[in-house]
Amino acid sequence: MVSTYFSYNYITRNLRQSLTRVEQQPDVAREAAYYRANIGKVKTVDDFMKDYRLYHYAMKAYGLEDMAYAKAFMKKVLESDINDSKSFVNKLVDKRYREFAAAFSFNGTATPVAQSDNQTDEMIGLYTATKKSQVDALASDSSYYSAQIGSISSADQILNNDRLRNYVYSAYGIDQNKWPPATISQVLRSDPSDLNSYVNTTFASQLSGLNAQLAQAKSDASAANTNIANYTAQLSQPGANVPQLQVQILVEKHHLETYNNSISSLNDQITEIGGFVDLAGAFEFLPDGSLPAGVPAQTAANIALTKKRFDDSKADVYAAASPIYEALAIKQFRADLLKINSVQAFVSTPGVYDFALGAVGLDPAKVSKATIEAVLESDLSDPKSYVYTLKDDRYVQLARAFNFDAKGNLTTPLVAQDAAEVLQIAKDYVIQAVKSASTASTKQQAAVRAQATKDATAYQEAIAGIDSVSDLLANRPMVDLILLAKGLDPRKVGDDFLKKIFASDLNDPKSFANTQSDPRFAEIVASFNFDSKGNVARLPMMGPQKRDQLRETQANYVQQSLEQQQGETNPGVRLALYFQRKAGEITSAYDILADKALSEVFRTTFDLPDQMAAMPIDQQAKFVDRFMKIKDLSDPAKVAKLLNRFSAMYDVKNSESTGQGQSPLLNLFQGSSSGISGISESTFLAIAKLRSH
């Protein structure tokens, strides 16, 4: 039989080719093709478990073939929430079950929702920032007005300056869409005390007639109210002609509505004329639009009055920015958001609609709901979709803040990484950081953990702002954190290499990412939701699996097949390959001791007897820490050296058990060719203790 040492080294030196050979084997290729073709049809856990080939394929991929019979148990695993520390799967010691559960999204990890928690938090923050910005803009407008009004020398100078004109129009209630600048120029040149001035002959002269009409409309409305009350009272009288009375009540209500509309319209006209008169009186312009020599456009009193009127016209803006109003609006938004299950529900719910539009700086009163519906149903990945035709980033911002499909139904959030992926990266980063400090003092380890946790939290917050590959790669600290989380050394990964990795087509086995000897780079790309153009997109699910979950499952199946096939010839090679695959996940001595295969590799590597497993677990852990540094298991080169020693020692141990002579390779590690078959178990432990010093 070929030695374990030779077989293991041959496979690892040519691991990519070895995996490719296994992948191309007819039975492996057939099962992989069946899985890819049918996993997309699965809707529920029961669907999955009823399909023997799908279920057993996945179980083998995660090293759980021997548990395939326990379907009730495995169903509980798949239905567990891996993010809940108290869930069924998280109470199991064997990590394989958690890995298996994490490979599927049966438990709502891709549940359609109007907004994710991050989106909601961002919108609330945006709302607060927008309201403050609006108030700051009003203060800036007032400061600008105060600074510029003293230099004005003609009426038309005000009208030709957009900021000054808008300020004056707001202060005096002038609708610039209704009144042309020429009309307002004439008003500014008017003297309200001159009965023959433009403002008086054109506008103020209408007041007496309008007031008379207003008085009549109010009288008519009062009469209609009286009639409605009388007819209503008669309904309950004996012998009343109820149908006739009901008709009369309806007629009077119609009249009342007409009178009330008239009252509202007349009040608006009277207020508007009052604004024109006040505007004329607030400025000192002569009939030709100039100013008398040495006279400013406005007195100090009129400047103050204009500023007060401006602030009064913006009362809603100031109120919306007040802490009390903001708190109420946010509370209402959170409550009403739970009711949103479609675009139609969105535009019909003021607590959400007004809040969302206000957050992005849109005025709900000036935007049609049909426009908003079309915006929210736009495909953000299509540059020709409706939202981009508006040429206004506020609409794009609104569309990104909510999750609706082309039919107005809920869909999944548009994010660079799904929440589960983000959480996993954060967890893995903390684990790797703590692992790197395994030989440090307890205090130093605590400090490393605290900083790593802080960095991981920052990553979880920052990833929400990534919209493309270019955004991600421009943030090198974020990229470094991802690499470290995967156990990779950022110093050895250049920017050009990363660009090629993320530009790879993961469906092409010959792409740059897929031809790398280290599969972790392709795993990183697969964990992001980037389309072929490098933009964030909603990548399609394959039934209960996302792209990276499907990829991992199929890669694991090939790896498991390789290990099993090697194990049929030489169990030592299978043990070495398994340890190599799991090394990056080991964070403490207890991870090794909790896994029979890993602990066997450890004992064999360092000539420790199997009976050592009967010792108290804490004492076993001390032996592990004496013989190896856990942080070294993140270094592929050091893992390879360790497994070279294991494979040689495995050959020696098994040659003894079959009565063969000792392998000369033992000299590389022991410096002697003397046999060890006669050494007692107690002596084994004594030697181990001596070697640890």
Side-chain angles (χ1 to χ4, degrees):
M1 182 179 75
V2 178
S3 72
T4 304
Y5 181 87
F6 176 82
S7 296
Y8 168 70
N9 276 277
Y10 177 79
I11 291 170
T12 53
R13 281 198 305 269
N14 305 278
L15 185 59
R16 173 58 61 184
Q17 294 92 323
S18 298
L19 290 170
T20 299
R21 281 196 297 272
V22 172
E23 190 175 18
Q24 293 173 346
Q25 291 171 359
D27 56 335
V28 175
R30 183 172 56 250
E31 292 307 306
Y34 181 86
Y35 188 86
R36 181 176 285 275
N38 291 278
I39 191 64
K41 303 173 186 177
V42 171
K43 304 297 182 184
T44 66
V45 174
D46 289 332
D47 289 344
F48 176 63
M49 302 188 84
K50 284 177 184 177
D51 190 315
Y52 177 89
R53 291 176 71 180
L54 289 180
Y55 175 60
H56 280 258
Y57 183 95
M59 290 292 281
K60 177 177 178 177
Y62 290 90
L64 294 169
E65 270 187 300
D66 58 335
M67 288 297 293
Y69 73 92
K71 288 191 173 182
F73 177 86
M74 294 309 301
K75 184 176 182 180
K76 291 177 70 176
V77 167
L78 287 170
E79 292 177 341
S80 294
D81 182 356
I82 61 173
N83 295 320
D84 179 3
S85 60
K86 297 181 181 179
S87 66
F88 177 76
V89 72
N90 283 324
K91 291 180 180 178
L92 301 175
V93 175
D94 194 331
K95 292 182 179 180
R96 292 176 301 169
Y97 296 109
R98 189 182 186 284
E99 292 170 357
F100 186 69
F104 297 90
S105 300
F106 286 115
N107 197 44
T109 56
T111 301
V113 61
Q115 280 191 327
S116 65
D117 290 341
N118 282 339
Q119 286 174 307
T120 299
D121 290 341
E122 284 183 7
M123 173 137 283
I124 290 172
L126 183 61
Y127 178 86
T128 301
T130 298
K131 294 308 173 185
K132 181 180 183 303
S133 176
Q134 289 173 345
V135 170
D136 291 343
L138 296 183
S140 176
D141 286 341
S142 287
S143 297
Y144 180 82
Y145 186 82
S146 297
Q148 296 295 319
I149 195 62
S151 61
I152 294 299
S153 59
S154 71
D156 288 342
Q157 274 188 291
I158 292 179
L159 299 177
N160 292 332
N161 183 309
D162 291 346
R163 287 188 75 178
L164 293 180
R165 183 184 66 249
N166 291 337
Y167 192 88
V168 170
Y169 278 25
S170 292
Y172 292 93
I174 299 169
D175 184 352
Q176 60 182 328
N177 294 320
K178 179 179 179 182
W179 299 104
T183 298
I184 306 306
S185 178
Q186 291 280 16
V187 171
L188 286 169
R189 301 173 187 188
S190 299
D191 180 357
S193 64
D194 180 1
L195 295 178
N196 295 318
S197 65
Y198 178 82
V199 74
N200 282 322
T201 58
T202 306
F203 296 106
S205 60
Q206 302 178 38
L207 287 175
S208 60
L210 292 172
N211 282 321
Q213 292 177 49
L214 180 60
Q216 184 60 53
K218 288 181 177 179
S219 174
D220 292 341
S222 177
N225 273 319
T226 300
N227 290 336
I228 291 170
N230 289 337
Y231 293 142
T232 302
Q234 291 176 37
L235 286 173
S236 60
Q237 293 179 2
N241 187 341
V242 174
Q244 181 62 30
L245 288 170
Q246 288 176 333
V247 170
Q248 289 175 315
I249 290 172
L250 289 175
V251 170
E252 290 298 329
K253 284 185 176 179
H254 174 70
H255 289 161
L256 179 61
E257 183 179 0
T258 302
Y259 301 145
N260 284 335
N261 287 338
S262 242
I263 290 170
S264 177
S265 176
L266 288 165
N267 277 327
D268 288 345
Q269 292 178 62
I270 291 169
T271 300
E272 189 173 53
I273 290 173
F276 285 139
V277 173
D278 291 343
L279 175 62
F283 291 87
E284 307 300 323
F285 297 115
L286 296 172
D288 64 357
S290 64
L291 288 170
V295 177
Q298 280 188 304
T299 64
N302 277 330
I303 291 175
L305 178 62
T306 300
K307 291 179 69 175
K308 181 180 184 307
R309 290 185 66 126
F310 176 80
D311 285 341
D312 289 345
S313 72
K314 303 297 183 182
D316 289 346
V317 177
Y318 287 111
S322 69
I324 294 177
Y325 185 97
E326 271 192 6
L328 290 173
I330 291 170
K331 182 178 180 181
Q332 190 66 50
F333 173 71
R334 286 189 180 278
D336 288 350
L337 187 62
L338 301 175
K339 306 171 188 176
I340 305 303
N341 55 16
S342 67
V343 167
Q344 191 56 49
F346 175 89
V347 299
S348 303
T349 308
V352 174
Y353 183 81
D354 293 349
F355 187 94
L357 266 63
V360 298
L362 293 169
D363 186 346
K366 296 180 180 179
V367 181
S368 73
K369 290 186 176 180
T371 296
I372 298 303
E373 289 179 11
V375 163
L376 293 175
E377 292 172 1
S378 295
D379 181 359
L380 290 170
S381 64
D382 180 4
K384 297 181 181 179
S385 65
Y386 177 77
V387 67
Y388 295 116
T389 66
L390 299 176
K391 307 296 182 182
D392 189 330
D393 286 342
R394 294 176 297 175
Y395 292 105
V396 176
Q397 199 171 26
L398 180 66
R400 286 190 178 279
F402 290 90
N403 310 310
F404 297 107
D405 62 19
K407 296 181 179 179
N409 299 316
L410 294 181
T411 185
T412 52
L414 184 63
V415 290
Q417 272 189 322
D418 296 326
E421 296 287 356
V422 175
L423 184 61
Q424 191 61 52
I425 289 289
K427 286 183 176 179
D428 289 344
Y429 174 75
V430 174
I431 288 172
Q432 291 293 340
V434 173
K435 188 174 179 179
S436 68
S438 60
T439 58
S441 66
T442 303
K443 185 177 180 180
Q444 289 173 323
Q445 288 182 14
V448 169
R449 179 183 289 276
Q451 184 59 49
T453 302
K454 183 179 179 181
D455 293 342
T457 300
Y459 174 79
Q460 290 174 277
E461 295 172 352
I463 195 66
I466 299 299
D467 294 324
S468 65
V469 170
S470 57
D471 285 348
L472 176 66
L473 298 186
N475 190 331
R476 186 66 204 210
M478 180 181 286
V479 173
D480 289 352
L481 185 145
I482 296 168
L483 293 171
L484 287 167
K486 284 289 186 178
L488 296 164
D489 186 348
R491 295 170 298 181
K492 298 179 180 179
V493 183
D495 292 342
D496 290 340
F497 179 85
L498 288 167
K499 289 178 182 178
K500 291 180 181 179
I501 287 291
F502 276 95
S504 299
D505 179 1
L506 294 182
N507 293 318
D508 180 3
K510 296 181 180 179
S511 67
F512 185 75
N514 286 329
T515 54
Q516 296 304 303
S517 59
D518 193 329
R520 287 176 292 182
F521 292 109
E523 290 171 8
I524 290 173
V525 176
S527 73
F528 283 89
N529 301 318
F530 294 129
D531 61 17
S532 59
K533 295 180 180 178
N535 297 316
V536 170
R538 291 186 177 92
L539 299 183
M541 292 280 290
M542 291 287 286
Q545 289 191 307
K546 299 189 290 292
R547 179 176 67 170
D548 62 318
Q549 292 172 323
L550 174 64
R551 180 184 177 82
E552 181 181 22
T553 300
Q554 297 214 285
N556 284 352
Y557 184 86
V558 174
Q559 179 73 35
Q560 288 284 350
S561 298
L562 172 65
E563 292 176 16
Q564 286 184 6
Q565 291 172 20
Q566 291 299 318
E568 291 171 2
T569 304
N570 188 330
V573 176
R574 182 177 188 179
L575 285 170
L577 290 171
Y578 177 77
F579 192 98
Q580 181 186 46
R581 175 161 58 90
K582 290 292 185 179
E585 302 171 18
I586 298 172
T587 60
S588 71
Y590 297 99
D591 287 340
I592 295 174
L593 299 173
D595 187 308
K596 291 182 179 179
L598 297 181
S599 57
E600 182 176 347
V601 170
F602 166 71
R603 291 194 302 271
T604 300
T605 302
F606 297 102
D607 297 341
L608 299 173
D610 292 340
Q611 286 77 4
M612 173 184 166
M615 297 169 60
I617 191 69
D618 289 342
Q619 193 171 346
Q620 292 184 59
K622 290 179 180 178
F623 270 98
V624 174
D625 289 334
R626 285 178 188 173
F627 281 90
M628 66 168 62
K629 295 178 180 179
I630 298 300
K631 69 176 183 179
D632 287 349
L633 299 181
S634 294
D635 186 335
K638 292 181 179 179
V639 171
K641 184 177 180 180
L642 174 74
L643 291 175
N644 278 338
R645 172 171 180 154
F646 160 76
S647 58
M649 296 304 298
Y650 183 87
D651 284 336
V652 171
K653 180 178 180 181
N654 285 277
S655 67
E656 285 173 5
S657 64
T658 57
Q660 298 173 9
Q662 181 171 302
S663 167
L665 286 171
L666 183 58
N667 293 332
L668 297 174
F669 303 105
Q670 289 189 323
S672 170
S673 59
S674 59
I676 56 173
S677 57
I679 301 178
S680 68
E681 294 170 9
S682 59
T683 306
F684 262 125
L685 289 178
I687 292 173
K689 291 178 181 179
L690 288 172
R691 287 177 179 167
S692 68
H693 294 298

